[in-house]
Amino acid sequence: MKNDKRPINAGRKIGKGVTYALLSLWGIIVLFPFYWMVLSSFKSYGSYNAEYIPKFYATDPTLQNYRSAFTEVPLAKYFGNTLIFTLATTAIMLVVIVLAAFAFSRLEFRGKNIVFALFLSLMMIPNELVIITNFVTITDWNMRNTFWGLILPSVTSVFYIYLLKENFEQIPDELYKAAKVDGTSDFKYLYKVMLPICRPTVITVIILKVIECWNAYVWPRLITDDQAYFLVSNGIQEIRENGFGRENIPAMMAAVVVISLPLIVLFLIFRKKIMSGVMRGGTKG
Amino acid sequence: MKIVLEHVTKRYPNRNRKIKTEVIAASDLNFEIPDGQLIGLLGPSGCGKSTTLNLISGLEPPTEGRIYFGETDVTDLPPEKRGVGLVFQNYALYPHLTALQNIMFPLQNLKGENRPSKQQMEERAVETAKLVQIDQLLERRPKEMSGGQQQRVAIARALVKRPGVLLLDEPLSNLDARLRLQTREEIRRIQRETGITTVFVTHDQEEAMSISDSIVVMKDGAVHQIGKPQNVYDDPVNLFVAKFLGTPPINVFTGEVKNGSLSIGEEAVLRVPGAPDGEVSVGIRPEGFVPDENGAFGCGLDRVEIMGRDTSVVFTHPLMENEQGRAVISAELAAGLSGDKVRFSLKPNKTHLFGPDGERIRFDI
Amino acid sequence: MKKQNLKAWLYLLPAIAFLGVFMVYPLFDVVIYSLEEGYNSASQSFFGVGLYNFSYVLHDPYFLQAVKNTLILVVITVPVSTGLALLISLGLNSIKTLKNLYQTVYFLPYVTNTLAVGLVFMILFKKTAYSDGLINLLINFFGGRSVDFIGGPYWAKMMVMCIYTVWIVLPFKILILTGSLASVNQDYYNAAKIDGTSKWRTFWRITLPLISPMLFYLIITGFIGAFKAYSDAVALFGVDLNAAGMNTIVGYVYDMLYGNSGGYPSYASAAALILFSIVFTITCVNLRTRKRLQF
């Protein structure tokens, strides 16, 4: 309090200072890798390798690395693939979980509780178990190295159905009854009333899924060995192992910057929504 | 011990940073609470009563002014050094501790020679629990107790330190109606037995009036009137106080005083010698109406409600502030009421005059 | 409301289809695989039914190394990350200015691609012919000797792995804990203040018990997550984790499925089931402890 006439503890001021110092320290630790990433991407190949002691600035900043990143490896293709994958998976997922959440929250049917309990129990199954069979399944269906192979197993998550169902349930029954009296079909009600009301949760789910898809690594790596179908994560891995990654670190960094950028930009724009969404998702779990 | 507030003011910077003026939560509070009394801080929400409680407890420092407990200036002392016990509106009982542990908690903070032994702590806690009659439930956790029981634990926790001052923030507002009556008697009983100076905050005037030794009526951060409940009811200093106290509420009309005579509309209803000429607001208590065929004051009769001992007469009048007014008369006098009109004569001591600024205009009775 | 069986099942159909094919069926399938001995994916035939696969996996030195790595990771990173997150959250909770800025910065790692950032970590920690790397520079500055954290001794690699893991998981934990701390009713603190409770006592006897549900949640999910570590290791050490001696249990599963060893779904299934049972047991133990310590 500014007008607090009580003797302000010198200890309290020091305490605050220490807190800020430590918080800033962690902030630096978090930010440093990003700084280094961007910095290195601007160093020319020669100057990077010449630095025995890495410099904190670029002596000879260049955009060459970015050019290399796009020309020497199909970075743009990886980008595009990931974009397609993310959009398609998220879209299909939305349809699936909205329908399912609606069924659980609004419709009465025999065995509803049992089925829902079963769904919930599926949440316990770790991805690592199912991935084995899915690999074989996709292989058997000849869907390796295809988009559908990438998308289909990634579509569902019981967790999102659960989140959305909870949200749907909070809409009072009266709204539904009023809509029914007006002759609204169930589907229309879902589309015109429930979804708009639950928009925040829907957006949360979308954002979480987008992050999940953009950063997907294990599944794409497992079923694609054709570069044309790589996503950004296994693309990066490819560059690192077989591409210029091993020698041309700055170019590698440029590629890394490029693929990290979209999500970071998304994050900065939708910061509040993302963070509150993750928190809600986390606490509900 | 007695509590003295000396020109205490509390200002906050406005939460909307664009508005430069500050919010004045409490304005020039200047009164004294005698030792050993039960005082009710009464007022509508936002009147500053909770702020006043926080200032007394030390949770908030005043922007100006000084506060004394007894002869000691406690203005700069933090809450733990003032020796106050505070019962929160939502009790704030630690959910993970039993009732006994909750009550013992403050004792465990004492240091040095003052610190009692474990056994003494428990004894004192049990003793205090007996005072509030919660000693049978000491092993329960808060969520295993009813609202009323939780509150008693909260009171015990506040009392176990033997504070010089006990503060309660809206103690009855979370209880259901039946429990409220019971609990407010409890509070009075406890206060009498311990003799601790007690201040409680409420927006319910009936509550405040029924158990307080004195009430402090507040609005917009300022004290409007202090006094014994009956006195404040019978002799309000302004229109706000008159309207705030009393159930059913006072009936307010517009009227005019000329040459010592009060008129409402065309009718001269009462002699008010000593009152200056001018337009006035007239407040008439429900019990101030006497049905009288030859009475000076005529109103439209809406309906009569039988309550057994009394009868409520619901009436209308063009110059009345509200659409309907209510008079309370004893049942015997209600016999003659019929039709759609009724005439009253007014009791002078139940008729109050207020000027355009709301201030009370007194006259000779 | 009259029963709307047909309609409901219609709405549920897509979800059931996807979940059935990609979740339920695999569950059973994996168990079957793990019990089929001598499975050969080329001929799709197998010898018999039994626990041979499990025995093979449990005797495989690569698997045991992976278990060791994973265990160390779990034991170190879960307490460290939870404790650090708690400290940081407490710090965040006590300041007002710049709080948003700090929270935004701290959350950054969550939205980034772990492989991408892992590369940067690799560069910082790796000692090459060209340069010692930045981290080593720092170590030298404080008087220590340079170590190759990526290609060098086991303890160094483990250390980098732990550091990176903590770095990655902290944002989520900080987020949850700050939310949890903020939800503690201010009245509790006021009541404690009135009673003159010291800061330490307030933390230990009030704050901590009140956020303990969230803490437990973070510990349990932390355990589960750490047991499933894989991508972070790949980010640091590359795809051939066995060569680096830094394989994890999950890595072993994938190796068995696809990698160098190529096409042993039975072993992979056995290993995956072993992993699942470990995680399941630990979760149960955790939940049991939680029930006892809860108020």
Side-chain angles (χ1 to χ4, degrees), chain C residues 64-79:
Chain C
L64 294 172
Q65 176 69 32
V67 170
K68 175 178 168 199
N69 293 339
T70 315
L71 272 179
I72 298 181
L73 198 63
V74 168
V75 164
I76 295 187
T77 58
V78 174

PDB file of all heavy atoms in Angstrom, chain C residues 64-79:
ATOM      1  N   LEU C  64      17.077 -53.548 -21.013  1.00  0.00           N
ATOM      2  CA  LEU C  64      17.439 -53.250 -19.639  1.00  0.00           C
ATOM      3  C   LEU C  64      18.108 -51.890 -19.537  1.00  0.00           C
ATOM      4  O   LEU C  64      17.861 -51.130 -18.596  1.00  0.00           O
ATOM      5  CB  LEU C  64      18.356 -54.355 -19.098  1.00  0.00           C
ATOM      6  CG  LEU C  64      17.621 -55.700 -19.003  1.00  0.00           C
ATOM      7  CD1 LEU C  64      18.593 -56.811 -18.654  1.00  0.00           C
ATOM      8  CD2 LEU C  64      16.514 -55.615 -17.969  1.00  0.00           C
ATOM      9  N   GLN C  65      18.947 -51.590 -20.539  1.00  0.00           N
ATOM     10  CA  GLN C  65      19.568 -50.271 -20.541  1.00  0.00           C
ATOM     11  C   GLN C  65      18.496 -49.186 -20.637  1.00  0.00           C
ATOM     12  O   GLN C  65      18.556 -48.165 -19.965  1.00  0.00           O
ATOM     13  CB  GLN C  65      20.525 -50.159 -21.746  1.00  0.00           C
ATOM     14  CG  GLN C  65      21.159 -48.794 -21.911  1.00  0.00           C
ATOM     15  CD  GLN C  65      22.153 -48.485 -20.807  1.00  0.00           C
ATOM     16  OE1 GLN C  65      22.809 -49.379 -20.284  1.00  0.00           O
ATOM     17  NE2 GLN C  65      22.251 -47.235 -20.418  1.00  0.00           N
ATOM     18  N   ALA C  66      17.519 -49.457 -21.496  1.00  0.00           N
ATOM     19  CA  ALA C  66      16.441 -48.484 -21.672  1.00  0.00           C
ATOM     20  C   ALA C  66      15.674 -48.288 -20.373  1.00  0.00           C
ATOM     21  O   ALA C  66      15.337 -47.166 -19.993  1.00  0.00           O
ATOM     22  CB  ALA C  66      15.492 -48.939 -22.783  1.00  0.00           C
ATOM     23  N   VAL C  67      15.418 -49.399 -19.683  1.00  0.00           N
ATOM     24  CA  VAL C  67      14.701 -49.293 -18.406  1.00  0.00           C
ATOM     25  C   VAL C  67      15.506 -48.469 -17.429  1.00  0.00           C
ATOM     26  O   VAL C  67      14.991 -47.579 -16.741  1.00  0.00           O
ATOM     27  CB  VAL C  67      14.423 -50.698 -17.814  1.00  0.00           C
ATOM     28  CG1 VAL C  67      13.910 -50.572 -16.404  1.00  0.00           C
ATOM     29  CG2 VAL C  67      13.422 -51.423 -18.674  1.00  0.00           C
ATOM     30  N   LYS C  68      16.800 -48.745 -17.383  1.00  0.00           N
ATOM     31  CA  LYS C  68      17.653 -48.001 -16.465  1.00  0.00           C
ATOM     32  C   LYS C  68      17.585 -46.512 -16.776  1.00  0.00           C
ATOM     33  O   LYS C  68      17.381 -45.675 -15.887  1.00  0.00           O
ATOM     34  CB  LYS C  68      19.082 -48.523 -16.594  1.00  0.00           C
ATOM     35  CG  LYS C  68      20.101 -47.753 -15.783  1.00  0.00           C
ATOM     36  CD  LYS C  68      21.479 -48.397 -15.942  1.00  0.00           C
ATOM     37  CE  LYS C  68      22.575 -47.486 -15.386  1.00  0.00           C
ATOM     38  NZ  LYS C  68      23.891 -47.838 -15.900  1.00  0.00           N
ATOM     39  N   ASN C  69      17.738 -46.183 -18.057  1.00  0.00           N
ATOM     40  CA  ASN C  69      17.699 -44.778 -18.439  1.00  0.00           C
ATOM     41  C   ASN C  69      16.393 -44.136 -18.032  1.00  0.00           C
ATOM     42  O   ASN C  69      16.349 -43.050 -17.465  1.00  0.00           O
ATOM     43  CB  ASN C  69      17.862 -44.624 -19.960  1.00  0.00           C
ATOM     44  CG  ASN C  69      19.232 -45.038 -20.421  1.00  0.00           C
ATOM     45  OD1 ASN C  69      20.161 -45.064 -19.632  1.00  0.00           O
ATOM     46  ND2 ASN C  69      19.356 -45.366 -21.697  1.00  0.00           N
ATOM     47  N   THR C  70      15.313 -44.839 -18.364  1.00  0.00           N
ATOM     48  CA  THR C  70      13.997 -44.274 -18.081  1.00  0.00           C
ATOM     49  C   THR C  70      13.793 -44.071 -16.582  1.00  0.00           C
ATOM     50  O   THR C  70      13.288 -43.046 -16.147  1.00  0.00           O
ATOM     51  CB  THR C  70      12.891 -45.185 -18.644  1.00  0.00           C
ATOM     52  OG1 THR C  70      13.239 -45.575 -19.956  1.00  0.00           O
ATOM     53  CG2 THR C  70      11.570 -44.455 -18.664  1.00  0.00           C
ATOM     54  N   LEU C  71      14.204 -45.059 -15.811  1.00  0.00           N
ATOM     55  CA  LEU C  71      14.023 -44.957 -14.367  1.00  0.00           C
ATOM     56  C   LEU C  71      14.772 -43.750 -13.801  1.00  0.00           C
ATOM     57  O   LEU C  71      14.234 -42.982 -13.007  1.00  0.00           O
ATOM     58  CB  LEU C  71      14.507 -46.229 -13.678  1.00  0.00           C
ATOM     59  CG  LEU C  71      13.446 -47.326 -13.560  1.00  0.00           C
ATOM     60  CD1 LEU C  71      14.037 -48.554 -12.896  1.00  0.00           C
ATOM     61  CD2 LEU C  71      12.270 -46.809 -12.750  1.00  0.00           C
ATOM     62  N   ILE C  72      16.030 -43.610 -14.226  1.00  0.00           N
ATOM     63  CA  ILE C  72      16.804 -42.464 -13.727  1.00  0.00           C
ATOM     64  C   ILE C  72      16.081 -41.173 -14.084  1.00  0.00           C
ATOM     65  O   ILE C  72      15.948 -40.262 -13.274  1.00  0.00           O
ATOM     66  CB  ILE C  72      18.219 -42.457 -14.328  1.00  0.00           C
ATOM     67  CG1 ILE C  72      18.969 -43.714 -13.905  1.00  0.00           C
ATOM     68  CG2 ILE C  72      18.969 -41.209 -13.898  1.00  0.00           C
ATOM     69  CD1 ILE C  72      20.380 -43.779 -14.428  1.00  0.00           C
ATOM     70  N   LEU C  73      15.621 -41.139 -15.329  1.00  0.00           N
ATOM     71  CA  LEU C  73      14.923 -39.938 -15.780  1.00  0.00           C
ATOM     72  C   LEU C  73      13.731 -39.627 -14.884  1.00  0.00           C
ATOM     73  O   LEU C  73      13.542 -38.498 -14.435  1.00  0.00           O
ATOM     74  CB  LEU C  73      14.450 -40.163 -17.219  1.00  0.00           C
ATOM     75  CG  LEU C  73      14.096 -38.903 -17.999  1.00  0.00           C
ATOM     76  CD1 LEU C  73      15.321 -38.048 -18.142  1.00  0.00           C
ATOM     77  CD2 LEU C  73      13.544 -39.275 -19.353  1.00  0.00           C
ATOM     78  N   VAL C  74      12.937 -40.654 -14.633  1.00  0.00           N
ATOM     79  CA  VAL C  74      11.741 -40.459 -13.814  1.00  0.00           C
ATOM     80  C   VAL C  74      12.113 -39.971 -12.421  1.00  0.00           C
ATOM     81  O   VAL C  74      11.602 -38.965 -11.931  1.00  0.00           O
ATOM     82  CB  VAL C  74      10.948 -41.777 -13.704  1.00  0.00           C
ATOM     83  CG1 VAL C  74       9.892 -41.665 -12.633  1.00  0.00           C
ATOM     84  CG2 VAL C  74      10.326 -42.113 -15.030  1.00  0.00           C
ATOM     85  N   VAL C  75      13.058 -40.679 -11.810  1.00  0.00           N
ATOM     86  CA  VAL C  75      13.381 -40.379 -10.424  1.00  0.00           C
ATOM     87  C   VAL C  75      13.952 -38.976 -10.268  1.00  0.00           C
ATOM     88  O   VAL C  75      13.732 -38.311  -9.258  1.00  0.00           O
ATOM     89  CB  VAL C  75      14.365 -41.439  -9.888  1.00  0.00           C
ATOM     90  CG1 VAL C  75      15.014 -40.974  -8.616  1.00  0.00           C
ATOM     91  CG2 VAL C  75      13.638 -42.740  -9.657  1.00  0.00           C
ATOM     92  N   ILE C  76      14.692 -38.539 -11.277  1.00  0.00           N
ATOM     93  CA  ILE C  76      15.283 -37.203 -11.146  1.00  0.00           C
ATOM     94  C   ILE C  76      14.320 -36.115 -11.573  1.00  0.00           C
ATOM     95  O   ILE C  76      14.109 -35.134 -10.868  1.00  0.00           O
ATOM     96  CB  ILE C  76      16.578 -37.094 -11.983  1.00  0.00           C
ATOM     97  CG1 ILE C  76      17.631 -38.035 -11.412  1.00  0.00           C
ATOM     98  CG2 ILE C  76      17.075 -35.657 -11.964  1.00  0.00           C
ATOM     99  CD1 ILE C  76      18.971 -37.885 -12.055  1.00  0.00           C
ATOM    100  N   THR C  77      13.718 -36.272 -12.754  1.00  0.00           N
ATOM    101  CA  THR C  77      12.991 -35.123 -13.289  1.00  0.00           C
ATOM    102  C   THR C  77      11.674 -34.848 -12.564  1.00  0.00           C
ATOM    103  O   THR C  77      11.270 -33.695 -12.459  1.00  0.00           O
ATOM    104  CB  THR C  77      12.674 -35.289 -14.791  1.00  0.00           C
ATOM    105  OG1 THR C  77      11.907 -36.481 -14.964  1.00  0.00           O
ATOM    106  CG2 THR C  77      13.916 -35.316 -15.606  1.00  0.00           C
ATOM    107  N   VAL C  78      10.989 -35.858 -12.087  1.00  0.00           N
ATOM    108  CA  VAL C  78       9.679 -35.575 -11.493  1.00  0.00           C
ATOM    109  C   VAL C  78       9.795 -34.699 -10.230  1.00  0.00           C
ATOM    110  O   VAL C  78       9.167 -33.658 -10.146  1.00  0.00           O
ATOM    111  CB  VAL C  78       8.893 -36.865 -11.220  1.00  0.00           C
ATOM    112  CG1 VAL C  78       7.620 -36.554 -10.487  1.00  0.00           C
ATOM    113  CG2 VAL C  78       8.580 -37.562 -12.517  1.00  0.00           C
ATOM    114  N   PRO C  79      10.609 -35.083  -9.255  1.00  0.00           N
ATOM    115  CA  PRO C  79      10.722 -34.205  -8.094  1.00  0.00           C
ATOM    116  C   PRO C  79      11.297 -32.843  -8.443  1.00  0.00           C
ATOM    117  O   PRO C  79      10.789 -31.809  -7.992  1.00  0.00           O
ATOM    118  CB  PRO C  79      11.674 -34.952  -7.154  1.00  0.00           C
ATOM    119  CG  PRO C  79      11.784 -36.317  -7.668  1.00  0.00           C
ATOM    120  CD  PRO C  79      11.436 -36.309  -9.098  1.00  0.00           C
TER     121      PRO C  79
END
